[in-house]
Amino acid sequence: MDRHLIAAAFERDGYLHRVPVHMGESGAKVRAQFDVLEAAEGRERCQIGLVDRHFDQQFVWELATHPAILDAVETVMGPDILLLATHFFCKYPSPASAEGPAREGAAEGTRERFVAWHQDVTYWGLEPPYALTAWYAVDDSDTANGCMRVIPGTHTGLREHATSQREGNLLSINQEVPVSPEEEARAVDLCLKAGEISLHHGMLIHGSNPNRSSRRRCGLTIRYVPPHVRVVTGNSMKRPWRAILLRGEDRFGHFPPEPAPFPR
C-alpha cells in the first residue's frame, strides 16, 4: 500500500495491523531467546516486570531497531525517531482453560489477568502527550489467548482514567478509562502471528481480555517518540526515560544523550 494511504489510515483509525517483521525461523529464534530470558527471570516477573531490557538483551535491542518496524514508525511519525522504552507483557494460561489444561507449572497468580481499557500516554508525563507503540508478537496472539483490542478513532484526546474495579488488571497502577457500550461494540481484535507487529497511537484506547487458552501470550511493546516531545512530569513507572535517537536528527535536546547499548 502507498505510504500516504497508510499514514492516512493511521491518522483516521489510530493503528496499523499485521505489519510483518520476522517470518519462519527468524520469529522462532526470537521466541527461543525470550524463552531463555523467561527461564532466568521467572514467570511472575515476566508478566509485567521486564522493562527496558534492550539495554542488556541484544535481541530486544535488535527488535526495537529493526528496519521494518522503524519504517512503519517513520511512515506515520516522520523521519526523526527516538526509542523511549521497551516493555514485555506476558499473559499465561489459567490453571484450567477453555482449550484444555494449562502448561505444567502455570502460576496461580496468573489466573484471569487482563489489560483494562486505557490510553498509553495518560501517565507518561510527556508534552505534547504523543508517542507510538509497536506491539511485537513473540507468540501468536489471538482471541483465545487475549490479543490486544482497540477502539478505532479514539486517539483524538486524553480522557480521565479511574481505578479499575476488576481484579487482575496488568497495568502498573491499575488504571482504566470508561468507555461507552457503543464504543466497546466497535472494538477490533488485533490478532497477530508471531513475528508481526501492530502499531498504535499513544492516545488510542486499547486493552485485552484474559488468556483462556492453553498457550502463553507474550508481546514486546516498543515505545517511540519524536524529538520535539519533552518530559514535564514523572511517569507511572517511577523511572526516568532513557531515550535513544534511532533515526534522523534531534534538534531539541529534551532528553539527555543516551548511547546505543549494542552496535547497530
Side-chain angles (χ1 to χ4, degrees), residues 53-90:
R53 298 306 295 268
H54 59 279
F55 285 109
D56 70 337
Q57 298 290 321
Q58 187 166 354
F59 85 97
V60 181
W61 170 249
E62 290 173 352
L63 284 173
T65 58
H66 194 285
I69 299 178
L70 295 183
D71 286 348
V73 172
E74 183 172 339
T75 296
V76 300
M77 194 174 78
D80 302 326
I81 302 172
L82 289 166
L83 170 63
L84 187 68
T86 60
H87 193 175
F88 283 101
F89 282 83
C90 278

